[in-house]
Amino acid sequence: ECRETIKKICDSFAVSPIARDIIETASLVNGAGVGIELARAKHHANDPYFLQPMDGVDSTGYRASWWTQFYCILWRSWLSVLKDPMLVKVRLLQTAMVASLIGSIYFGQVLDQDGVMNINGSLFLFLTNMTFQNVFAVINVFSAELPVFLREKRSRLYRVDTYFLGKTIAELPLFIAVPFVFTSITYPMIGLKAGVSHYLTTLFIVTLVANVSTSFGYLISCASSSISMALS
């Protein structure tokens, strides 16, 4: 149906006055390629329907600098995060509930044979929870925006690297807050090694695991053409 619609649009344009003007202009120019393009550009220099060259366009064809592209994508992505504050609250509440559940199961461990095995089990849950929770949190990010991204990329609005960095940095605060909430609840409840330095070391490692998992989720999302494929 889409192809039939496109064919009708093209057929209608082919018999329009603008199309006839283009054909007449092209027929007056000897040669092909650059000559025809220059003649058409000159003929339509004052025509608002044709894009004219802009000052400041670099050799790559982008109409904004790298930093301008990055700033605009970062700002747009940040507004997208702020637009849905309930999602952020639900993520933090979910993290607090899971952390409280794990802390309750492994509450107050002591350093004997059973306690060491239980602490190993709790650390395993630290890693698996931070891994799967963050992978599935971002697995649909790029798949959902793929049509918009492809359209804007083909329009030379921004580069791929500025889009990726802007999206990831805008969501970075949440992926730092989630490990902080999780570790701050479970660490004292389980009774892991006391001391600020030990707590900060654990928090640092859990944060790294969470962000590596997030990057892996981004990889799956970028490599998948649809949300269902990414989830599979």
Side-chain angles (χ1 to χ4, degrees):
E1 292 178 357
C2 291
R3 287 170 179 163
E4 288 295 326
T5 303
I6 292 172
K7 188 175 183 302
K8 292 178 181 178
I9 294 173
C10 293
D11 292 342
S12 299
F13 175 78
V15 298
S16 66
I18 296 179
R20 288 196 294 269
D21 291 342
I22 293 175
I23 294 174
E24 291 174 2
T25 303
S27 64
L28 296 176
V29 179
N30 294 323
V34 177
I36 294 176
E37 295 298 326
L38 291 174
R40 288 171 60 186
K42 183 178 180 181
H43 179 74
H44 296 286
N46 298 319
D47 195 332
Y49 295 104
F50 287 83
L51 285 175
Q52 303 301 321
M54 293 181 62
D55 295 333
V57 177
D58 56 18
S59 58
T60 60
Y62 295 102
R63 301 193 175 196
S65 65
W66 191 95
W67 285 107
T68 303
Q69 297 174 33
F70 173 72
Y71 172 78
C72 293
I73 293 294
L74 178 62
W75 180 246
R76 186 176 73 174
S77 302
W78 179 245
L79 290 179
S80 179
V81 173
L82 296 180
K83 185 175 66 177
D84 197 0
M86 183 57 65
L87 181 62
V88 177
K89 294 177 183 178
V90 168
R91 286 286 311 280
L92 295 177
L93 179 61
Q94 174 194 8
T95 302
M97 292 175 64
V98 173
S100 300
L101 178 62
I102 296 175
S104 300
I105 295 173
Y106 293 97
F107 184 79
Q109 298 298 317
V110 293
L111 286 179
D112 54 17
Q113 187 63 38
D114 292 335
V116 170
M117 295 179 65
N118 290 335
I119 289 174
N120 283 338
S122 66
L123 294 179
F124 174 76
L125 287 179
F126 263 64
L127 299 179
T128 55
N129 184 70
M130 283 294 99
T131 299
F132 291 109
Q133 178 181 350
N134 289 288
V135 165
F136 282 100
V138 301
I139 207 165
N140 65 332
V141 169
F142 293 110
S143 299
E145 295 189 4
L146 188 61
V148 176
F149 166 74
L150 291 176
R151 183 173 68 249
E152 295 179 343
K153 176 67 174 67
R154 288 165 184 160
S155 300
R156 313 291 287 175
L157 294 180
Y158 48 73
R159 297 169 172 82
V160 177
D161 54 349
T162 55
Y163 174 77
F164 184 83
L165 289 174
K167 287 287 295 180
T168 53
I169 293 176
E171 297 179 352
L172 185 62
L174 180 60
F175 296 115
I176 294 177
V178 167
F180 174 76
V181 171
F182 183 82
T183 307
S184 299
I185 294 174
T186 52
Y187 197 94
M189 289 184 69
I190 296 173
L192 299 177
K193 192 169 184 178
V196 176
S197 61
H198 301 300
Y199 163 76
L200 292 178
T201 302
T202 305
L203 178 61
F204 178 69
I205 294 174
V206 172
T207 303
L208 285 181
V209 169
N211 282 275
V212 168
S213 305
T214 302
S215 298
F216 185 67
Y218 284 142
L219 172 64
I220 297 174
S221 182
C222 290
S224 303
S225 58
S226 63
I227 296 177
S228 59
M229 183 179 294
L231 290 173
S232 299

